[in-house]
Amino acid sequence: MSARPAIFYTIVFFILLPTYFWIQPSTKPATALEQKEESLLKLGGGIDAITVASRSESLRFQKTKDGKLYELVAPQGKFVPHDLMDAMVSLLTSAKSVEVVADNSTDLAQFGLDHPKSVVTIEAPGQLQPIKIAFGNENPTHTAIYAQIEGIPKVFLLGQNMEYYQSLMFQWIEGKQGKNA
């Protein structure tokens, strides 16, 4: 056997190797590919009360006197499970970062925020005014919903769970829990 083919292929390899790196698309560092994200709410003291308004319906739940659970206070005589209320509070307080889709949107209709589907009002210790978050349409991939905090021009995405928990709460109020409403 001759060494000629091995030498030939080695030379071809070293000629083509720079071409490979020249043609190969450059990859940006992971930090450059990250989408713009920001912290949602800075509520170090937690949440005292939440009001969820959707269409003409509204429900309000607040922390119990012992501060361990949340209870439904309006509408009176209705029931929503404590774990459902806790889950919504947890979503709001644990949202460390959200994707900002528009820094200063003047066309809120494209996000469904000109006529929001629901508005969540949050009362927290240390906050002079309640925080109002409007929820609009789903994003094109149906994995999140557009939202905007009142007084802040940015539009961001919040996970689909928020809309899901809201709809479950209203199903409990209407007595349709566990059924296909």
Side-chain angles (χ1 to χ4, degrees):
M1 281 219 163
S2 167
R4 216 177 222 177
I7 294 171
F8 173 74
Y9 289 121
T10 303
I11 292 171
V12 168
F13 173 76
F14 283 111
I15 291 172
L16 293 178
L17 186 63
T19 307
Y20 169 78
F21 286 108
W22 180 67
I23 294 174
Q24 180 73 19
S26 66
T27 57
K28 296 181 180 177
T31 55
L33 293 176
E34 289 179 10
Q35 297 170 338
K36 185 174 181 181
E37 293 184 346
E38 290 186 4
S39 177
L40 176 61
L41 301 171
K42 295 172 180 82
L43 301 173
I47 294 176
D48 287 337
I50 293 182
T51 303
V52 181
S54 179
R55 301 177 303 270
S56 62
E57 299 176 302
S58 178
L59 58 93
R60 176 179 168 80
F61 57 94
Q62 63 187 31
K63 230 179 221 184
T64 56
K65 291 181 183 183
D66 63 4
K68 294 181 181 178
L69 298 172
Y70 289 91
E71 64 182 348
L72 186 68
V73 293
Q76 290 184 342
K78 298 291 183 174
F79 174 77
V80 173
H82 293 286
D83 57 346
L84 189 54
M85 292 181 276
D86 288 339
M88 179 177 273
V89 169
S90 178
L91 273 178
L92 291 167
T93 56
S94 68
K96 301 294 184 214
S97 61
V98 293
E99 181 184 345
V100 177
V101 293
D103 283 322
N104 192 2
S105 180
T106 55
D107 182 19
L108 294 177
Q110 68 179 329
F111 303 110
L113 292 166
D114 56 337
H115 301 290
K117 290 182 180 179
S118 66
V119 175
V120 172
T121 305
I122 301 167
E123 296 172 30
Q127 296 288 329
L128 299 175
Q129 297 289 329
I131 300 167
K132 291 185 179 183
I133 305 174
F135 295 95
N137 296 334
E138 293 179 345
N139 66 340
T141 59
H142 304 291
T143 56
I145 52 176
Y146 295 110
Q148 183 180 41
I149 298 173
E150 183 179 79
I152 299 175
K154 296 179 182 183
V155 175
F156 56 91
L157 283 173
L158 195 58
Q160 192 69 24
N161 287 346
M162 182 59 70
E163 185 177 49
Y164 176 68
Y165 290 152
Q166 289 177 29
S167 70
L168 280 179
M169 287 179 172
F170 284 108
Q171 286 178 18
W172 274 95
I173 296 297
E174 297 166 359
K176 297 179 183 177
Q177 69 282 356
K179 302 172 187 164
N180 292 332

